[in-house]
Amino acid sequence: MSAEKMILVEESFQRALELKKMVDRWQDSHTHCLWQMTLSQRRNPYATLRMQNTMIQELALANKQLLMVRQAALHQLLEKEHQQYQQELNQMGKAFYVERL
């Protein structure tokens, strides 16, 4: 085997070894993170419950706000269409029937 091929094989082996080390470090840090999360959940279950309740309340409020925004957008769209129909009827010499009390 030539010297160049040996160097290429060695460099490839070194890269593979570095990638394996990087993956091992990531797996170790991931495992450590999961361990820390479960440890903190066991230490303070009430804080976890409070956080879950807060998240549930925030989601409910966000959904309510989203509903209100969508209703307002729909109302604006319907109002715009009503105005457009009214203009088209006016151009034809017609109008919507409006009962006056």
Side-chain angles (χ1 to χ4, degrees):
M1 200 179 231
S2 70
E4 291 177 4
K5 286 186 180 180
M6 289 291 285
I7 291 172
L8 289 175
V9 168
E10 188 175 326
E11 287 176 354
S12 177
F13 178 73
Q14 289 295 328
R15 274 187 258 139
L17 189 61
E18 288 173 10
L19 286 174
K20 184 180 181 329
K21 286 180 183 178
M22 185 175 66
V23 168
D24 289 344
R25 283 194 304 266
W26 181 84
Q27 285 177 338
D28 289 344
S29 64
H30 181 69
T31 304
H32 183 73
C33 181
L34 290 175
W35 179 75
Q36 286 288 343
M37 284 175 32
T38 56
L39 183 65
S40 66
Q41 287 174 353
R42 275 191 241 135
R43 281 186 185 159
N44 201 348
Y46 295 111
T48 304
L49 289 175
R50 280 194 306 270
M51 189 173 14
Q52 287 175 348
N53 287 337
T54 303
M55 288 185 342
I56 290 169
Q57 290 173 353
E58 287 178 2
L59 281 174
L61 289 174
N63 286 334
K64 187 175 181 180
Q65 185 178 15
L66 179 61
L67 179 65
M68 291 172 63
V69 167
R70 292 178 76 185
Q71 285 176 342
L74 182 60
H75 185 268
Q76 286 179 347
L77 177 66
L78 292 174
E79 185 64 32
K80 182 180 173 184
E81 286 181 355
H82 178 76
Q83 294 295 329
Q84 183 180 356
Y85 291 142
Q86 194 171 25
Q87 287 176 354
E88 290 175 8
L89 288 173
N90 284 340
Q91 288 174 353
M92 293 188 296
K94 300 178 180 180
F96 284 119
Y97 175 76
V98 178
E99 186 175 339
R100 297 183 185 189
L101 299 174

